[in-house]
Amino acid sequence: MDMKSEIAPLQIAAIVSMKAGMEAFVHRELGLISDLGHQILLLPTKVRPGLYAPRPEWTLYRWRWSELIWAQLTGLASMPRRYLGLLREALETSSLADFLLAWHLRQAAEAADVLYATFGDHKFFVGWYLKRISGRPLVVTIHAYELYKNPNPELFLIALEDADQVITVTEHNRELLRDRFRVSENKLRLVRINVDTEAFRPSHPLRILTVGAFVERKGHETLFRAIKQLDRDDLQVWVVGDRAGEDRNTVDVPALAKELGVERQVAFFGSQKGLALKALYEACEIFCLPSRIDSDGVCEGFPTVIAEAMAFGKPVISTHHVEIPRVLPNVIVPENDPQALADAISHLAASHTLRIQLGQQNRLIAESLFSAQNAQRTAKVLTEAALRRCPAYS
């Protein structure tokens, strides 16, 4: 059944918090509702950037303190009895901030067909005032904490009584709302959280890990161009690293991924260490660091991350760059050559057996060349130097 064709489009005023962007599950739910053809009007209690920003087609009602204060003055002047009556209730129920914001957002509410409070906290209380002001029906979704540590328990009970529909996400919550909070059965609806089961489904991608500071010589651009050329949905690139302080050859790697059109295949993990970094090494199928000479002529020494990947028994793809081919027998490609890198990735991707063989070979090399005994050698050099003190300082 095509729900989109059977439901008349609504103007839905969704009262949300964007204290660090939107919550992922709220963003997903509103997105799916929007996909059904409904118009989303976002009425935020807070607006700060975060991972989940409003879709371009949603209307976002931003507010400022100066505008909020002006709305109170004009409301008091134009509708004094109505304004003062609600103000008195706000003072009696310790919900002044909710009322002031609702009064400021009243015109947006009046443009909607229905009000939707996405939580049973201050968003619900703003929605309750908007219902009183605009006469629009109010629906709220109750998640969990609102039932146990509500910021205004008194107003919560009042708003539950006045809400037109109360949605909750678990059967336990539904029973709690019915038995403890006395919400009538015919007003309650159980609607569990939604998951995009097309996007979240079992899959077996080939995960390519790269670790390094976001600078030219780490070759992120070459790797991303190779991924672009391969045009394979089963490839993922896991990027560990961040901007490199004062290095003037710093690269905006996330922007580069977007510019080259591969951002949907690239996951950024930031800088990592310890168990988190080890988990990423263990989970990848291929490690890739296409090192290159940067625009200032600076080269790598020997990248520690290649030694780490070899120690983890991973197949490594790198470049003909200074010391790397002297240590890593396979797989080596020319610097700045996306096509050669793409061919190498494709070759390893085609054979699980080959990846295992190369990983085992790399493990043996790492044990031979990069063990903790190297630190003992350094300590020996330091000891010998200390014993040969310059006579002038003896």
Side-chain angles (χ1 to χ4, degrees):
M1 179 174 62
D2 184 1
M3 292 181 66
K4 188 172 180 178
S5 64
E6 294 195 4
I7 301 176
L10 296 173
Q11 298 277 344
I12 301 171
I15 307 154
V16 301
S17 173
M18 294 172 56
K19 59 185 177 183
M22 300 176 66
E23 294 93 346
F25 53 90
V26 172
H27 186 275
R28 182 165 56 243
E29 180 185 58
L30 293 179
L32 292 170
I33 291 172
S34 178
D35 290 342
L36 296 174
H38 302 300
Q39 299 297 312
I40 303 297
L41 316 176
L42 287 181
L43 280 55
T45 56
K46 299 180 180 70
V47 182
R48 297 190 189 100
L51 285 177
Y52 293 92
R55 286 188 181 183
E57 67 268 25
W58 297 348
T59 301
L60 174 62
Y61 287 87
R62 293 180 178 271
W63 59 273
R64 298 177 178 84
W65 283 107
S66 58
E67 296 172 349
L68 185 145
I69 293 169
W70 180 250
Q72 313 311 311
L73 297 174
T74 57
L76 180 60
S78 61
M79 294 176 281
R81 289 187 60 184
R82 190 177 188 193
Y83 182 89
L84 290 172
L86 290 171
L87 177 60
R88 184 179 63 254
E89 291 189 46
L91 294 172
E92 291 173 350
T93 57
S94 302
S95 57
L96 180 61
D98 303 315
F99 162 66
L100 297 178
L101 181 56
W103 188 267
H104 179 39
L105 296 172
R106 69 188 188 282
Q107 291 182 339
E110 289 168 355
D113 297 304
V114 63
L115 306 169
Y116 178 37
T118 56
F119 272 84
D121 52 12
H122 289 290
K123 294 171 276 297
F124 187 24
F125 309 147
V126 171
W128 179 72
Y129 279 113
L130 287 172
K131 173 183 169 71
R132 304 282 304 282
I133 295 167
S134 68
R136 299 299 186 269
L138 172 63
V139 178
V140 62
T141 288
I142 306 297
H143 292 272
Y145 100 94
E146 312 100 292
L147 297 171
Y148 306 101
K149 197 175 180 180
N150 198 281
N152 192 332
E154 178 187 358
L155 187 54
F156 185 55
L157 291 173
I158 296 170
L160 283 173
E161 179 67 26
D162 288 348
D164 294 274
Q165 292 289 329
V166 178
I167 297 170
T168 192
V169 297
T170 69
E171 185 65 33
H172 175 79
N173 285 358
R174 190 187 69 80
E175 294 170 354
L176 201 61
L177 284 161
R178 180 194 64 200
D179 300 337
R180 182 186 298 179
F181 294 92
R182 304 303 179 190
V183 179
S184 63
E185 189 77 50
N186 62 355
K187 188 186 288 190
L188 283 168
R189 296 290 185 274
L190 172 62
V191 180
R192 298 189 184 276
I193 59 170
N194 64 81
V195 173
D196 185 345
T197 53
E198 289 303 308
F200 290 85
R201 63 188 307 160
S203 64
H204 303 284
L206 189 86
R207 293 157 293 204
I208 302 168
L209 175 65
T210 189
V211 181
F214 288 0
V215 292
E216 282 183 25
R217 63 182 176 274
K218 300 302 179 181
H220 295 93
E221 180 180 357
T222 307
L223 176 55
F224 291 167
R225 290 190 183 278
I227 295 299
K228 179 72 171 178
Q229 290 187 26
L230 286 168
D231 192 25
R232 288 177 51 164
D233 291 336
D234 63 332
L235 297 181
Q236 293 180 0
V237 179
W238 290 2
V239 178
V240 173
D242 212 330
R243 292 181 179 273
E246 301 300 319
D247 194 309
R248 77 185 199 89
N249 289 312
T250 293
V251 177
D252 188 341
V253 178
L256 179 64
K258 186 173 183 179
E259 176 188 336
L260 296 176
V262 296
E263 72 272 18
R264 67 182 182 84
Q265 292 178 264
V266 180
F268 289 94
F269 292 88
S271 297
Q272 297 292 338
K273 66 177 184 178
L275 188 60
L277 181 58
K278 291 177 183 178
L280 292 169
Y281 275 120
E282 289 171 348
C284 76
E285 280 77 35
I286 297 172
F287 183 85
C288 182
L289 189 76
S291 297
R292 59 183 184 174
I293 302 172
D294 73 14
S295 54
D296 287 336
V298 178
C299 299
E300 302 269 31
F302 187 86
T304 302
V305 295
I306 290 181
E308 290 174 345
M310 294 173 74
F312 269 100
K314 297 297 177 177
V316 175
I317 303 175
S318 193
T319 54
H320 287 284
H321 181 81
V322 293
E323 186 73 5
I324 295 172
R326 299 188 184 192
V327 173
L328 184 68
N330 292 293
V331 176
I332 300 294
V333 301
E335 292 184 27
N336 302 306
D337 191 338
Q339 185 59 62
L341 183 56
D343 291 342
I345 292 171
S346 182
H347 182 60
L348 287 189
S351 175
H352 174 74
T353 301
L354 177 60
R355 296 198 300 272
I356 295 297
Q357 290 174 348
L358 293 179
Q360 292 171 342
Q361 182 181 13
N362 287 343
R363 171 65 188 179
L364 294 175
I365 295 171
E367 290 176 332
S368 172
L369 296 183
F370 303 120
S371 76
Q373 292 179 357
N374 290 344
Q376 297 174 15
R377 294 188 180 102
T378 300
K380 182 179 179 181
V381 173
L382 294 171
T383 301
E384 291 171 350
L387 293 174
R388 293 195 305 268
R389 292 182 180 180
C390 178
Y393 296 95
S394 298

